[in-house]
């Protein structure tokens, strides 16, 4: 008796065996995803409804969220986080696209050199990067103060990281330099995959470089742009290491972010429930930002 086959000519028995093998190989990752992603997320949401401390674990409903609304430090941390996101994401995307547009069609040696230069801060350890930037921003021996005073930009040395008016912008500058490496590499790859026959035809028809880029290259690299914008947004919302190593949220909470304030409450004050409530709020904000970005950029997407 002839066995039944699917539309590809594969018997159902063989297909069933292939599916079982596939599920066996996927099982470890599935278990990892449940145990280290879904379960912690569910526990974070549940414990945000409790007064979870070292000495107490009592249900308090939405009181942690109500406290967040009244918490002046949290409001300042949230505002600082928005400044970091709004200030870094557009700059990272625009600068990365500009650099990639300039170097993607250069000889391979030149392109590889610049890719390596811009990607170096990404693969360098956070501690090493912070040590260098601490020296640059140092009030007494920093090169930035030396240049500014030598060029008469300022009359005396500025405490860049110790002043509430300048500390957040220093964090933005450092975050910018450490965030452009991956987008530049991705944009170079995306621009290199654009159909050259279309750009050459546009140039023959007399289209300017700007018009060629806007009408042909930009729609083709929109999926890459969406990925870069979303990932950069998430990373900016989760800015923590720079804050911890450079300023510890100071001075006067001028560089405090939601992630760092969450860390303080969880591991310094041992208010785990309150910290989890911040995590839930931050996750909701990130999801909303990502949804808006998908919605806005979806109309221009060209797959």
């Amino acid at each position: 008796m002839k066995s039944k086959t699917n539309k590809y000519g594969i018997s159902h028995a063989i297909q069933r065996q292939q599916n079982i093998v596939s599920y066996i190989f996927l099982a470890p990752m599935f278990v990892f995803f449940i145990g280290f992603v879904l379960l912690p997320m569910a526990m974070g949401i549940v414990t945000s409804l409790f007064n979870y401390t070292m000495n107490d674990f009592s249900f308090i409903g939405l009181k942690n969220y109500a406290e967040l609304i009244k918490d002046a430090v949290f409001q300042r941390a949230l505002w600082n986080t928005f400044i970091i996101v709004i200030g870094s994401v557009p700059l990272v995307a625009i600068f990365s696209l500009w650099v990639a547009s300039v170097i993607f069609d250069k000889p391979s040696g030149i392109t590889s050199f610049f890719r390596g230069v811009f990607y170096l801060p990404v693969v360098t350890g956070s501690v090493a990067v912070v040590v260098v930037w601490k020296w640059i921003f140092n009030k007494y021996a920093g090169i930035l103060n030396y240049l500014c005073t030598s060029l008469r930009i300022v009359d005396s040395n500025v405490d860049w990281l110790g002043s509430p008016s300048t500390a957040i912008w220093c964090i933005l500058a450092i975050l910018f330099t450490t965030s452009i490496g991956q987008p530049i590499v991705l944009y170079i790859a995306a621009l290199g995959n654009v159909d050259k026959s279309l750009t050459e035809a546009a140039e023959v028809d007399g289209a300017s470089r700007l018009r060629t880029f806007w009408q042909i290259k930009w729609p083709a690299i929109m999926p890459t742009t969406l990925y870069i914008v979303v990932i950069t947004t998430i990373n900016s919302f989760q800015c923590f290491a720079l804050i911890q190593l450079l300023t510890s949220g100071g001075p006067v909470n001028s560089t405090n972010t939601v992630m760092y304030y969450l860390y303080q409450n969880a591991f310094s004050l041992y208010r785990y429930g309150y910290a989890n409530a911040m995590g839930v709020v931050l996750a909701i904000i990130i999801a909303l930002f990502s949804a808006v970005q998908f919605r806005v950029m979806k109309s221009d997407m060209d797959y």
Side-chain angles (χ1 to χ4, degrees):
M1 181 177 178
K2 188 176 180 180
S3 60
K4 296 182 179 180
T5 61
N6 61 15
K7 62 179 181 179
Y8 300 106
I10 302 174
S11 68
H12 289 298
I14 295 176
Q15 185 178 16
R16 187 161 49 250
Q17 291 176 356
Q18 291 176 343
N19 291 339
I20 292 173
V21 172
S22 301
Y23 293 143
I24 292 174
F25 278 106
L26 287 173
M29 181 55 66
F30 184 67
V31 172
F32 178 86
F33 181 74
I34 293 177
F36 293 94
V37 178
L38 291 183
L39 186 59
M41 287 174 59
M43 291 177 61
I45 295 172
V46 171
T47 53
S48 70
L49 304 176
F50 285 77
N51 182 31
Y52 184 13
T53 64
M54 294 288 288
N55 303 315
D56 188 20
F57 188 71
S58 56
F59 180 78
I60 57 174
L62 299 177
K63 288 185 179 180
N64 283 327
Y65 296 94
E67 185 178 346
L68 282 177
I69 297 175
K70 302 176 183 178
D71 191 342
V73 178
F74 174 76
Q75 293 173 9
R76 181 62 186 270
L78 185 61
W79 173 250
N80 291 336
T81 304
F82 279 127
I83 291 176
I84 290 173
V85 172
I86 296 171
S88 65
V89 174
L91 285 177
V92 167
I94 293 171
F95 181 80
S96 301
L97 180 57
W98 175 71
V99 171
S101 300
V102 172
I103 66 176
F104 88 96
D105 56 353
K106 295 290 187 293
S108 59
I110 297 176
T111 302
S112 298
F113 171 76
F114 281 105
R115 276 191 302 194
V117 168
F118 284 108
Y119 201 75
L120 187 61
V122 179
V123 297
T124 305
S126 299
V127 175
V129 172
V130 168
V131 168
V132 173
W133 279 103
K134 266 193 171 182
W135 169 69
I136 292 174
F137 288 128
N138 187 274
K139 181 179 179 180
Y140 302 103
I143 190 174
L144 182 60
N145 272 322
Y146 173 77
L147 291 174
C148 289
T149 53
S150 299
L151 297 174
R152 307 292 183 182
I153 297 175
V154 295
D155 297 327
S156 59
N157 289 355
V158 178
D159 190 3
W160 300 101
L161 295 174
S163 172
S165 60
T166 58
I168 189 67
W169 306 112
C170 295
I171 297 295
L172 264 173
I174 302 171
L175 186 63
F176 172 79
T177 59
T178 57
S179 299
I180 59 176
Q182 186 183 36
I184 288 175
V185 172
L186 292 174
Y187 269 134
I188 290 174
L191 290 169
N193 290 329
V194 176
D195 192 347
K196 291 184 178 180
S197 63
L198 296 177
T199 59
E200 291 172 355
E203 291 172 358
V204 169
D205 291 339
S208 64
R209 290 175 61 90
L210 180 60
R211 187 172 181 82
T212 301
F213 172 82
W214 189 252
Q215 296 293 332
I216 297 175
K217 295 180 180 179
W218 177 246
I221 64 174
M222 275 299 294
T224 303
T225 301
L226 176 60
Y227 173 81
I228 289 171
V229 169
V230 171
I231 293 300
T232 306
T233 299
I234 294 173
N235 291 338
S236 299
F237 268 114
Q238 296 179 341
C239 181
F240 169 76
L242 290 178
I243 306 298
Q244 185 187 32
L245 296 171
L246 274 174
T247 63
S248 298
V252 199
N253 291 314
S254 61
T255 60
N256 206 348
T257 61
V258 175
M259 279 297 297
Y260 187 73
Y261 191 46
L262 186 156
Y263 166 81
Q264 285 181 312
N265 276 273
F267 300 105
S268 296
L269 304 177
Y270 304 109
R271 300 187 63 193
Y272 304 114
Y274 192 56
N276 284 333
M278 291 185 210
V280 172
V281 171
L282 183 62
I284 293 173
I285 293 173
I286 293 175
L288 291 175
F289 262 74
S290 300
V292 170
Q293 289 165 343
F294 271 98
R295 183 70 175 177
V296 170
M297 303 178 73
K298 184 179 179 181
S299 59
D300 296 328
M301 196 73 71
D302 182 13
Y303 292 100

